[in-house]
Structures are given as structure tokens and as C-alpha cells.
Amino acid sequence: MHHTFRPTHYHTTMGPHDAVLTVQSGDSVSTTTIDARGFDHRRVSVSPRGNPQTGPFYVEGAEPGDTLRVTLDELRPNRRYGFCQSSLAANVVDPDYVPELPPPVLVEWDVDVEAGTATLVRPESKLGEFVLPLAPMPGCFGVAPKNGQFLDCAGSAEHGGNMDYRGFIAGTTVDFPVFQPGGCFFIGDGHAVQGDGEICGAGVEISMDVRFTLTVIKGKSIGWPRGENEEWIFTCGNARPLDQALQHATTEVLRWLQQDYGLDALSANLLLTQGVRYEVGNVFDPQYTMICKVNKELLRQIP
Amino acid sequence: MHHTFRPTHYHTTMGPHDAVLTVQSGDSVSTTTIDARGFDHRRVSVSPRGNPQTGPFYVEGAEPGDTLRVTLDELRPNRRYGFCQSSLAANVVDPDYVPELPPPVLVEWDVDVEAGTATLVRPESKLGEFVLPLAPMPGCFGVAPKNGQFLDCAGSAEHGGNMDYRGFIAGTTVDFPVFQPGGCFFIGDGHAVQGDGEICGAGVEISMDVRFTLTVIKGKSIGWPRGENEEWIFTCGNARPLDQALQHATTEVLRWLQQDYGLDALSANLLLTQGVRYEVGNVFDPQYTMICKVNKELLRQIP
Amino acid sequence: MHHTFRPTHYHTTMGPHDAVLTVQSGDSVSTTTIDARGFDHRRVSVSPRGNPQTGPFYVEGAEPGDTLRVTLDELRPNRRYGFCQSSLAANVVDPDYVPELPPPVLVEWDVDVEAGTATLVRPESKLGEFVLPLAPMPGCFGVAPKNGQFLDCAGSAEHGGNMDYRGFIAGTTVDFPVFQPGGCFFIGDGHAVQGDGEICGAGVEISMDVRFTLTVIKGKSIGWPRGENEEWIFTCGNARPLDQALQHATTEVLRWLQQDYGLDALSANLLLTQGVRYEVGNVFDPQYTMICKVNKELLRQIP
Amino acid sequence: MHHTFRPTHYHTTMGPHDAVLTVQSGDSVSTTTIDARGFDHRRVSVSPRGNPQTGPFYVEGAEPGDTLRVTLDELRPNRRYGFCQSSLAANVVDPDYVPELPPPVLVEWDVDVEAGTATLVRPESKLGEFVLPLAPMPGCFGVAPKNGQFLDCAGSAEHGGNMDYRGFIAGTTVDFPVFQPGGCFFIGDGHAVQGDGEICGAGVEISMDVRFTLTVIKGKSIGWPRGENEEWIFTCGNARPLDQALQHATTEVLRWLQQDYGLDALSANLLLTQGVRYEVGNVFDPQYTMICKVNKELLRQIP
């Protein structure tokens, strides 16, 4: 079944808030998200800032210990105005270089969905009319976190959250561990395009029209978000420092290969030794995000 | 001028050792490297283990404060026998998962340069006859380090060293800061193919025939190794934790964009905010390696 | 005014839960805490595990932006049975050493408040009848966290939480930033004695009788918990890695010296350069805790 | 036997340089060290800067795999002029706070050995005539490093080096692993007094008269420097981040307790769980130093 949902309020924490909509496993939802500062498609402020989320969506039958599969069917900026910061965050450059970062100004982008481009509008710079191809993605999405917590949408953990990984484009499927009845799915913080690491603390921030499908996988337990697209399977580890995020993501791939791909410990290790790939999700948020990936061509070689 | 050099001894530290050959800026050299444990193309032990290096090559005119440009013209495994470890290193998985890593066994690969493949030979596993495409690269190369040090070939720093980045394939140009007269270029530790991070502590270790060109860029000073291929420019930051390696690499790109691409601080920052890419070099060695990249399509947009 | 409060339920998250008692600024409270696994003075399970907290105590007049001063008047184990783990946590030893950690067994201690000792009872070991002096402290205490979050009692942040610093003994005063009306003070997770770092993941876990005084400091804003005893002032930085915890704690001392001790930036820096001391709170929990200290003898030298 | 040695040159790398003096195991040496920038007791520049070392002292019979025991018999500043930096290093404060660090100026101290004090002379500040008690120590000392390396005196590793731990006062005994024949002992970089962490990048830098005793412990192999004074035994872990330095130091104590104190794995772990103490050596140098300590009162309880 397909639902069209029009949000009337938003949450800046993820947790077992009252559901805005209850759906069946397999249902899809069309709705909208507002930008990281709480502005909607009209550029009207409709929520306090802090990556306000649309949701939660309660999925019937999802219980702690299950997995919630989210298919990102469509992610489409619904206005032309995007913005970000102008300087890198102090924590991504050498400490002694911090005083050389230029003073921050607001950066404005013209987001043209038809043309598939984000064009730098302001400030004036030596880049001229700088253009990037769109690759819209939700900076923050996921489910209610473990232990009954309500976590703000700055951070991330096993439940997802503000992972700010530019690979979460339309067509991607993401599995989350379920910690609360109904899972409680949230989505928001759209980025029209984002560099690796979200190193200025923002993508090209934008409001979006989104469509997604929610499916419960009963009795399947996972440790960290797991994603899949046409070419890759990948996991998300969220922690600081990046080394620990990488440990989480790598361990989760080892578990996944043994859980779902028929490998034993030796074979799973062997495959990764020379076959693994990593990507940096974010290195700005309270928890950094490291992606550990395996190409499906390698998986297809498994007899 | 082109030189053919046949090594008679190797070094497991990088520093101002006596030169094995003196060349002019712009000269190229054909030579051979042995594997990480000191075995040559015949699988005969010709050096103690520890990433023994061929070199150093002294480049006339290179002085501290200059840059040494190395073009990796050809990198070709010269035997069929490759090897690596079977299990991930303890430091790349969750600490509590370490006891679940399988006991280490030697892994053997058949490296077929004509076919362009590395095929898993031993141990038997559920992967069957697992095949990876070759992408030969030197795990360890660079120049004599700063401050008159002799550093072992396990680690890396501003001078390069054991960066274990799989992107150093033939056709890549790499610039190193010169710290000693002549630069003192070394190369070794060939990998027929390597996953991101060198997470088992090895690529498919192999001896190689190599050809490279050495050019002095007088009066140009850089902070960290800078690379370039057809599509990308990139920098290498070497440190622990990965966060610090990322800071070094990112800061070096900021400097590079301002030094060579006509950008001021604001423009260099702006370009990176949504345009940066990262890759993980290694997360096994005493110093980790993070790669910070910019696609040349973005650079071509600079007016 | 002094209150005696007898808890009937406990919380394993810190956040703006319904207050169990409302007090005036300056009031003191006598109450009890249960152990980390939810067992009380009779060794009866009265709560789910996870550092269950007594509270929250609502302090009239405390508003976001104020500071809540907590004086730990008395901390007294109220049973003889204490316990901890037998092996160090995997994350505090070299990754390659993890397989050498012995298999975990429950460790039991006899806590004798009159004698002021904790005596190792089980398991048998080459330590014989090992005795440590008591130094009772709450592993986890603090206020409701920022941004309306409910955070579980495993972790810590600006609001305090599971800092596991053995310096929080009776007689210590601790200031917390107020993020929610009333502050919402919690306390629990008593340790009869604890080593630095809580490196097995536990102190000698115990239930306690506690007495504390709560005072609102109106209009005073602080960044991280600040403590004081007869000899020292200190701050708590909570984060991973330890480097970042140290940055938070050090920055907070710099701010404190300028806010309360009449120093300018230069003088505050000068004092710390050769006068600073650090202690490790915990290196086990999701966030590590670093303590940055200044001896009051140094402060008394300020003209 | 006792030697009096008057240095004529210094080294800014530690490695198997030609010995300046050969001694027998058990001999003691009186000599002098110059300050971190190469100035001697007359404030005359006699070496390039970079923690120039007096030595190496070759100890007959020391072979790789042995341990070299160094007793710091006397450490006495031999001039009144000490200096340090005025601001904390950028890496020990929050990245966003870096721009608030005051501009660096040279700080000068009057070091009065008779009075046992260091008095702040310049710059003028709100601290007035700030006085610290002397606690002289060598910032950098140790032996030739592993693998035939020559490492600069900025960093530290298994061989010791620039650990900048304020606990290395006279009366302390320090054991180093021997990596080169003769051990090759170096000492320099005196600090009249130093705060934890050397967080401005310097102690009160000074030249010194030093006396030490060198003893070979044949056939005893250790992993990291181990120290001992009247009250404590301690180990030094040198690495970044601080978490890894702590892992090295903790693991070395576990090994030590089993190697020398008759404990098995379980007992060694048990003792540390509630008995361990940590101190921060330095958090400024390329490698940070963490100290892991055990009080001798606890060791005396071992039956």
C-alpha cells in the first residue's frame, strides 16, 4: 500500500515519539522533509533547527531484534535554494592551521533538479560559477535508538541518525536494527549534493520530496546499518575516532558475510583482505561515519 | 636519459644511505624490487625482511626545500607467486571481536600478469577459486625523511614510506618533499593487488620490475606527498589516528589549491566543502594513511 | 531544608523524566542508590540493569543556562557485597594482546565500611586476601542532557553521566550545566572503590546511602562538569578518543580561570603550561573521561 | 666505576652513532646536558636545536634482547635561565577554541636550585611573581631504537626518547629494551619543572648537570620503558592517540606483573582492575606518552 503523508510537526530527537503514521510491512510512503535549520520548500521556518525529522513512521510487526529495511525510492529537492558553510570545520585541518581558515560566510547554491545541478551563487569567489552534479540524499535518517534513548539529530549510532554519507542516494536499500516496537522510522536533513566527510558541517542543505518503502525482516538481527545498491553492499560504523568507526563497520561486514553469504570466518576474512573498500561518511558530527564496502562482483564469485 | 639498474643490496630503513645510482633530473630508471620479506623473482631470499627497498637513487640538484617528482612509468610483477595473511589485523575490528578472528595461515596467490589476475590458491575456503584483477603498486616508496632520520620501512611520514595506498598504480605521478641532498629515492614492497587499508597487514606481496622517472622541481616546497593521475589530484597524510592523517591530507590539499591553482583561502575552502573525496590508504602500519582527493573536472571549472 | 527520599523506581536513561522530588536551592537530600545491575542493599533486584539512577530531583528555579551545584555530602556503601569483572576490557590493551586476556569470571569483594576496606573474596588467585582502602563514589550522576535528549546511563557528555572518575568522593562539589527546567539531578552506580579508567568496566559495584546538597547558581553558564575539593579544582571532558576528552577538559579549565579567577587569556595559559595536572576518569564507557586539574596552591598565588 | 664526561658534540637523532664513552655495566657517569634549543650553561649555542642529546654511552655487554637499567642519580639545573612557550598547543584545546589562544611570546623563568624554585620573570601577567617548586627531569632520554633506525629527538617509541614525563626525577630507575650492541644511552632536554602533558610544547627548558648509573640486565627482554621509584612501578606507552599509548602502557604492566611478580594472567588482571593508576606524560610530541602505574603497597600484598 502507498501512503501520502503531510507532516505537521518535526522532531529534533530520534526516539519512541508518538507515531505520525502507522504502516504495514511493505508499504511505501510519500512525504516531505525540511532542511537542517527547519525551513520548508517555501523557505518558511516550520520547526526549530537541528536536522528536524519527518516521522516517526510506525511499522506494524516490527519488534526489537528484527530488522527494518528502508528502500529510498525517491529523493527530490523541492526548492531551488540550498546553502552550506564556506570554510572547513576546525577539526578536519591540522590544529596549527585553524587560524588560517577564512571567516565563515553563508554559501548559497541554486539547485536545479531538471538540469541535475547545484550552482554556487554566493559568495563571490575565484571559483566563478561553480557547478556540481546533484546527488540528493538524507543526511539524517534511521530508527529509534537502543535502550529507550532519545538522541538528538546531530549524532549517529547503531540506529542510524546523522551519518551524512553521500552514498544514500535514491535506489539504495538500508537495513536498520529495530530497538523499539514499530521501529519508528525518521527521515530528514536533505542534501542536494555533499562532499565526503561533510567537512564544512553541511551538504547543500535543502528541503525534499521523498518516497520510501518500509519492510520488516522478522527475526533477523543486525548490529549496524547495512546498505545495498546495484554494485555494492556496505555497512555504516558510527563513532569517534574514525578508527573506531572503521572497526564497527568492518566487524559488521565480517558478520554479514557469515550471516547471509554462506561464508565461514576464514572465508569472510579472506575475501576482505584484498577485496575491501572504505568510504568516509562524515568527519564532522559528534560521531564520525565510516563505510565498509564489498563489490557485488566479488560476492558473485562465491560458489 | 634512461638507466637500467640491477640492485645488489637493499635497505630496510629510509635515510641518507650511500646512493646506488646517481641520475640527472628527468632521467628514468628501470630496476627491480623484492617482496616485503626479502625474496626476489626466483623466490630466493636476498635481504632481511621488512619491506627492503631498492635504492637510494640520488638525483643531481635536489636540495632540501625542493620537490622530487616521481612518475611511476611501469610496475610489473616479475613472478607468479604472491602471498598475504588470512585474517584481518586485530586493530581493524572491534576489540571484543578479536578472539573471533580465525587463526592465521599463509595465503598464496597465483599472479598472472598476462591475464591481469591474481587467483587465490591456498588455503581452501568457501571462496573457491577467487580471482581479483591486478593493480600493481609499491607499498613503500619515497625519499629520505626529515631531520636526518633513518626510518624503518614499516612506517610513513612526510617523506612517504610505507603508505600502502592502492592508488599508486602505473601512470601516477607523486611529488615528495626533499629533505636530503639528492632526495634519495627508494622503492619496494610491491603489491600485485591490495584492498583498501591493507587490513590484513599485506597486499598480494610480490617482486616487481619497475620503471620510474625522477624530476627535481627546484624551489618548490610541499608538506606531504602529492599525487596525480588522469582524473584526480590527491595528497597523502600519514599519522595515527586516522583523524590526524585526514587532517594532514586535507590541510595539504588546501595549501596545494592556493599554491598551484590560483585560489585564495575562501575559494579553496569552498571547492572542498562539497567537492572533496577521501580514500583510506592503510590502517595497519604504525602510521595510517588517508588520501584527500579532488577530481580534475572540478579544477577545470576554475576560470 | 533536608529531605529524606525513599526511591520506588529508577531510570536507566537521564533526561527530563517526571521528578521524584522537588527541592529548593540549597536543600539537601538523603536517599539510597542501587548497584549497576539494579540490586539494592538486600541484594534484591529492584530495577533493570544499566546503572539505574535515583531521581530526578527537580530544583526550583534552575533554568537552562544556569549551573547546578552538587555537594556530595556523604557516600556510604549500605551492604557488604561488592562485585566487578576479572579481566581488563579488550579496548585498554594492545589489540594483539586481547586473546591473552583470561576468561572473565565474576569477582566478589567484601566491603567493610567500618574498617574502610574492600577485601577480595572470589576468585581464588595469587593475590591472596587482597585489600584495598574504600573510596566510595557514584560512577554515574548528573543532570538531564542538552537538546531534550534522554541518554542511557552507559555514556557521558556535558551533563555528566557515567564518568566513572574515582575522584568523586564525599566532600567534593560538582557543578553541572543546566539544560532542562529544574536541572533534573540523578545519582547512582556506586563504587566502593575504583581504579583509574574503570578498565575492567566496573568499580567495586555497590548500593549506597547518599546525602547531597543541590544549589542553583543563577545566570552562570558552564560548558562541562567542574569539580572542587580541598586541594584541587578540576573539569571533566567526556568524549572519545581520550585526546578529545582532554581537549574538552583543558578548554573548560581555560574558560573557568578567565570566568572566575580574574585571569586573562595569557595568564590562564601561562598558569596551565607548567601547572596543569591530568587524571584519567574512565577509558571503558562509550565516552571516555579526562580530568584536567589545577592545585589551589597555584590559584592562591594569583594577586 | 665512576666517569666524568665532558661532551664536545651532541645528537638530534637517537641511533647507533659512534659512542662518546664506553662504560662497564654498573658504572656511573657525571656529565652535562644542554637545553632543547642547543644552549649550554653559559647560554651559548653549542648545537643545532631539537633536543640535542649527550651521548651515546656504550655499555659493554649490552646486546639486543637485554635490558638497560638507568638510575637517574642526580639531575641539577646548571644555570638560572629557563624558558617555555606562553600558550597551550593547538592540539590540546577544542579545535574551535584555537583562535582564542593568545599570540605566543617567549616565557622566561628564574631557576634557583638552592631555593628549589622556578619563578616566572617574563612576560608580565596577572599571575604576578608566580613560583613553582623545581622537579628537574630529562624530557628526552633512552637508547638507540629498534630496526637500526635513527629517530629524531622530537618523538618517542619503545626505546624511550622524548617522553616528557614529569615523573622522571632524580632517584628514579628506568629500564629500556636494548636494540643495538652497547645499548647506546642518550640524555638531554632538561626541564627544571614541567606540567602534565607538556601542553605548551615545553617544560621550563634548562641545561643540567646529570649523574646516572648504567646496568645491563642480561637476557631480560621488555617491551616498553619501565620505571620505578620508592612508591611506584610504572610503564611508558608512546603512541598516538592517547588511547593507544594507554594500551601499550597497560599491556606492559600486565606483562611485567607476570614476568617479575609471580602473578598469572588472572591475578595480574585482578590487581589492575581496581588498583591501576595512570598519568599523562606528554600530549604534544609526535607520539604521546601515557604512564601506567601500580603502587608498591599493592605489590607488597602479593603473598
Side-chain angles (χ1 to χ4, degrees), chain B residues 203-227:
Chain B
V204 173
E205 304 290 328
I206 200 95
S207 59
M208 298 204 300
D209 293 336
V210 301
R211 186 162 55 82
F212 51 82
T213 302
L214 300 173
T215 310
V216 181
I217 307 176
K218 290 298 296 178
K220 179 174 190 182
S221 216
I222 66 175
W224 290 91
R226 296 178 178 180

Side-chain angles (χ1 to χ4, degrees), chain B residues 18-207:
Chain B
D18 290 344
V20 294
L21 185 72
T22 296
V23 303
Q24 302 300 313
S25 177
D27 287 1
S28 60
V29 178
S30 291
T31 188
T32 57
T33 63
I34 56 176
D35 74 28
R37 294 187 183 172
F39 289 77
D40 69 7
H41 63 288
R42 303 161 299 169
R43 297 187 57 193
V44 172
S45 171
V46 295
S47 163
R49 61 188 296 165
N51 298 334
Q53 299 285 298
T54 300
F57 299 91
Y58 188 101
V59 188
E60 286 284 2
E63 293 295 329
D66 295 338
T67 288
L68 181 64
R69 173 158 297 175
V70 179
T71 307
L72 297 169
D73 300 312
E74 195 174 1
L75 300 165
R76 188 183 166 90
N78 59 16
R79 73 178 190 213
R80 293 189 71 115
Y81 180 82
F83 65 90
C84 71
Q85 275 71 49
S86 59
S87 293
L88 303 200
N91 63 299
V92 303
V93 298
D94 288 341
D96 286 333
Y97 189 82
V98 172
E100 297 185 44
L101 293 172
V105 295
L106 183 68
V107 182
E108 298 176 304
W109 299 78
D110 181 55
V111 174
D112 184 336
V113 173
E114 302 314 315
T117 55
T119 304
L120 180 59
V121 174
R122 245 176 303 271
E124 297 240 344
S125 81
K126 303 204 170 207
L127 293 182
E129 199 176 83
F130 192 66
V131 181
L132 291 173
L134 292 192
M137 44 153 289
C140 183
F141 71 127
V143 297
K146 69 179 178 185
N147 298 340
Q149 295 181 98
F150 291 76
L151 296 181
D152 73 24
C153 298
S156 60
E158 293 89 343
H159 70 291
N162 197 29
M163 297 182 283
D164 288 314
Y165 168 47
R166 68 178 178 80
F168 287 129
I169 56 173
T172 307
T173 293
V174 192
D175 289 358
F176 295 98
V178 174
F179 295 110
Q180 289 285 339
C184 298
F185 179 69
F186 295 87
I187 188 166
D189 184 27
H191 298 166
V193 55
Q194 187 204 288
D196 278 355
E198 206 204 26
I199 59 176
C200 71
V204 173
E205 304 290 328
I206 200 95
S207 59

Side-chain angles (χ1 to χ4, degrees), chain C:
Chain C
M1 188 181 168
H2 181 262
H3 307 261
T4 299
F5 173 73
R6 185 167 173 169
T8 56
H9 66 282
Y10 303 88
H11 290 288
T12 56
T13 59
M14 295 171 83
H17 292 286
D18 289 344
V20 294
L21 185 72
T22 295
V23 302
Q24 302 302 311
S25 175
D27 287 1
S28 60
V29 178
S30 291
T31 188
T32 57
T33 63
I34 53 176
D35 75 26
R37 294 187 182 171
F39 289 76
D40 68 8
H41 62 289
R42 303 161 300 168
R43 297 188 56 194
V44 172
S45 171
V46 295
S47 163
R49 64 189 293 164
N51 298 336
Q53 300 285 297
T54 300
F57 299 90
Y58 188 101
V59 189
E60 286 285 1
E63 292 296 328
D66 296 337
T67 288
L68 181 65
R69 174 158 297 172
V70 179
T71 307
L72 298 169
D73 300 311
E74 193 174 1
L75 301 165
R76 186 182 167 91
N78 59 16
R79 73 179 191 212
R80 293 189 71 115
Y81 179 82
F83 64 90
C84 72
Q85 275 71 51
S86 59
S87 293
L88 303 200
N91 63 299
V92 303
V93 298
D94 289 342
D96 287 332
Y97 188 82
V98 172
E100 297 185 45
L101 293 172
V105 294
L106 183 68
V107 182
E108 297 175 303
W109 299 78
D110 180 55
V111 174
D112 184 336
V113 173
E114 301 313 314
T117 55
T119 304
L120 180 59
V121 174
R122 245 175 304 271
E124 298 240 342
S125 82
K126 304 205 169 205
L127 293 182
E129 199 177 84
F130 192 66
V131 180
L132 291 173
L134 292 192
M137 43 151 292
C140 183
F141 69 127
V143 296
K146 68 180 178 186
N147 298 340
Q149 296 181 99
F150 291 75
L151 296 180
D152 73 24
C153 298
S156 60
E158 294 89 342
H159 70 292
N162 197 29
M163 298 183 282
D164 287 316
Y165 167 48
R166 68 178 177 81
F168 288 130
I169 56 173
T172 307
T173 293
V174 192
D175 289 357
F176 295 98
V178 174
F179 296 110
Q180 290 286 339
C184 298
F185 178 69
F186 295 88
I187 188 166
D189 184 27
H191 297 166
V193 56
Q194 186 204 287
D196 277 357
E198 207 204 28
I199 58 176
C200 71
V204 173
E205 305 289 328
I206 201 94
S207 58
M208 298 204 300
D209 293 335
V210 301
R211 186 162 54 83
F212 50 82
T213 303
L214 301 173
T215 310
V216 181
I217 306 176
K218 289 299 297 178
K220 179 173 190 182
S221 218
I222 65 176
W224 291 91
R226 298 178 178 179
E228 185 166 347
N229 57 34
E230 283 203 7
E231 266 190 281
W232 301 93
I233 67 166
F234 64 88
T235 59
C236 312
N238 304 318
R240 280 202 191 189
L242 213 36
D243 310 30
Q244 188 180 344
L246 182 145
Q247 292 172 338
H248 293 325
T250 307
T251 306
E252 184 70 11
V253 167
L254 281 175
R255 292 199 160 115
W256 192 359
L257 292 175
Q258 296 173 71
Q259 188 177 19
D260 286 5
Y261 289 91
L263 298 185
D264 55 14
L266 173 63
S267 309
N269 274 265
L270 275 177
L271 188 150
L272 287 194
T273 58
Q274 309 304 336
V276 77
R277 293 292 181 271
Y278 290 105
E279 281 192 275
V280 171
N282 92 80
V283 285
F284 172 78
D285 303 321
Q287 288 78 38
Y288 294 163
T289 296
M290 181 64 82
I291 305 298
C292 183
K293 306 198 303 182
V294 178
N295 197 293
K296 287 184 171 178
E297 286 204 14
L298 302 190
L299 299 175
R300 282 191 284 267
Q301 288 194 41
I302 301 172

Side-chain angles (χ1 to χ4, degrees), chain C residues 276 278, chain D residues 92 164 194-201 280-285:
Chain C
V276 77
Y278 290 105
Chain D
V92 303
D164 287 315
Q194 186 204 290
D196 278 354
E198 207 205 25
I199 60 176
C200 72
V280 171
N282 93 79
V283 286
F284 172 78
D285 303 320

